[in-house]
Amino acid sequence: MSERTRWIPLEGAVNARDLGGLPTVDGRVIRRGRVLRADNLQGLTVTDVRVLLDDYDLKNVIDLRSDAEVRLEGPGPLARVPSVRLHHLSLFAEGGRHTDAAADQPPPPASDPSAPSAQPDPSAQPDPSARPAASAPGVDIDKVLPWQSRPGGGQHEDRSIGFYLGYLRDRADSIVAALRVMARTDGSALVHCAAGKDRTGVVCALALEVAGTTREAIVADYAASGERIEAILARLRASDTYAADIDSRPADSHHPHAVIMEKFLARVDEELGGTAAWLAGHGWTDEDTEALRARLLD
C-alpha cells in the first residue's frame, strides 16, 4: 500500500488515515482496515460515515479527548450509529474546570512517567444526545495541542516530549484500554483526538511498537500529520472550543517534527525499559500482545 492510499478522503475530517501498509522489522506489514487514526470527528458527513462503515467496517471509536472537550464539542455523529461503540479514554488527569485538574499549571516534569495515579473509570460512554455548552470556557491548548516548536528549538521539543510522557504517567489505564480495543474487537478501530497528531500519535506509536513496526515507519507516520497541518488548524479555528488559543500562535509552532517522536520513543526506551516493559508494568499481558499482533499483522 502506498503512502498516498493510506489517507482516507473524508469531507468532515482532514487528518484521517489507515495504519495499514506500514512495514515491520520482520518483513511483514500492518494489515489494512484494522486501525485508523484521525482528527476530530465532529464534522463527519453522512457520506463520511458510510465510507467508514462500508469501506472500513468501523466498529469502535477510541476518543482520546478530555471530558471537557467532549462536553463542549459533543461526542460526534458516530455516537448515533448503533453498530459503532465509543470508548472515551482521555489521556489527561481529569477533574478540573477546563481540560484537566492542572490545566493552568506548567507541564509536569518528565521524570518517572510510570508512577501510578488514581483515575476515574475511563469506560463511561458519552451521551449521544448531549449538546455542546452554549458559552463554556475553552480548553487548555497547551495540553490539547502541545506547542511543539518555537524559534529556538530544542527546549520546546523537550516540552512536548514532557507532555507525551505525561500521558503515560497520568493515564496508563486509558492507553492500555485503547490498545486492547484494537486487539480484541472485530472490524476497524478509529483513534482520534482534536488534531489527530499528539495524543493520537502517541497511542498509535505504542500500538505500532507492540506490533513490531520499524521505528522509521512509526516516526514517519507521526510526522505525516504535518502534511495536513494548515487544514487541521483551520478546522480547530472554526470551533469556539479551540479558536482563541489557536489564533494566538503561529501555525508552524504546531508542526509534528519527526525528531519529537524519535526523542519520545528513545526516552521510553531509556527511562522505562521500552514500550513492552512499560505496558507490562501496567497490566498488559503476553496474551494481549499476541492478540494485537494477530489482529494487525498480515
Side-chain angles (χ1 to χ4, degrees):
M1 176 183 294
S2 71
E3 194 69 22
R4 180 180 298 275
T5 59
R6 290 183 55 229
W7 290 102
I8 303 172
L10 300 174
E11 298 173 39
V14 297
N15 193 22
R17 59 188 183 272
D18 191 337
L19 295 186
L22 296 178
T24 66
V25 294
D26 60 0
R28 303 167 75 181
V29 295
I30 300 298
R31 187 173 293 155
R32 185 180 185 277
R34 292 301 167 89
V35 178
L36 318 177
R37 56 178 294 173
D39 50 329
N40 204 344
L41 305 178
Q42 297 307 112
L44 292 183
T45 65
V46 172
T47 299
D48 292 338
V49 171
R50 292 302 343 156
V51 167
L52 293 171
L53 295 178
D54 296 343
D55 296 353
Y56 292 90
D57 192 24
L58 181 65
K59 298 294 186 184
N60 290 272
V61 171
I62 300 167
D63 185 349
L64 303 178
R65 295 176 301 163
S66 68
D67 289 348
E69 289 170 276
V70 175
R71 183 176 68 251
L72 293 169
E73 295 280 286
L78 288 169
R80 298 188 291 272
V81 179
S83 62
V84 174
R85 182 179 178 190
L86 266 61
H87 307 262
H88 180 215
L89 300 169
S90 173
L91 294 195
F92 297 145
E94 303 285 358
R97 288 182 59 233
H98 297 158
T99 300
D100 63 83
D104 298 320
Q105 301 299 320
S111 59
D112 192 21
S114 62
S117 57
Q119 300 297 339
D121 181 4
S123 63
Q125 301 295 308
D127 179 359
S129 64
R131 298 179 63 84
S135 58
V139 298
D140 178 25
I141 293 297
D142 272 342
K143 298 284 188 180
V144 170
L145 195 65
W147 204 347
Q148 294 177 324
S149 61
R150 301 173 185 167
Q155 63 178 324
H156 303 296
E157 291 173 358
D158 291 342
R159 187 171 185 272
S160 286
I161 295 163
F163 277 114
Y164 290 6
L165 291 169
Y167 304 156
L168 275 63
R169 181 195 58 249
D170 294 335
R171 295 313 300 259
D173 57 340
S174 288
I175 293 170
V176 169
L179 267 58
R180 283 181 173 148
V181 172
M182 298 178 196
R184 300 184 180 277
T185 57
D186 296 329
S188 66
L190 190 159
V191 189
H192 84 98
C193 52
K197 69 183 187 67
D198 298 300
R199 291 168 287 184
T200 297
V202 167
V203 169
C204 287
L206 296 178
L208 290 169
E209 280 265 292
V210 174
T213 310
T214 66
R215 187 63 60 86
E216 181 181 17
I218 294 171
V219 170
D221 178 68
Y222 167 81
S225 292
E227 299 175 29
R228 304 291 177 93
I229 195 65
E230 291 291 350
I232 291 168
L233 295 179
R235 291 196 71 221
L236 295 176
R237 288 188 189 101
S239 166
D240 290 341
T241 304
Y242 310 107
D245 284 326
I246 290 293
D247 284 339
S248 72
R249 304 175 183 189
D252 185 63
S253 69
H254 300 296
H255 199 88
H257 296 290
V259 67
I260 297 171
M261 181 54 66
E262 290 171 352
K263 289 183 176 182
F264 165 69
L265 293 173
R267 292 280 294 275
V268 173
D269 290 341
E270 294 164 5
E271 299 174 15
L272 305 178
T275 297
W278 178 81
L279 284 169
H282 291 87
W284 185 261
T285 67
D286 290 342
E287 290 76 16
D288 289 324
T289 295
E290 291 173 7
L292 185 64
R293 288 177 64 85
R295 284 283 298 159
L296 298 192
L297 294 178
D298 274 333

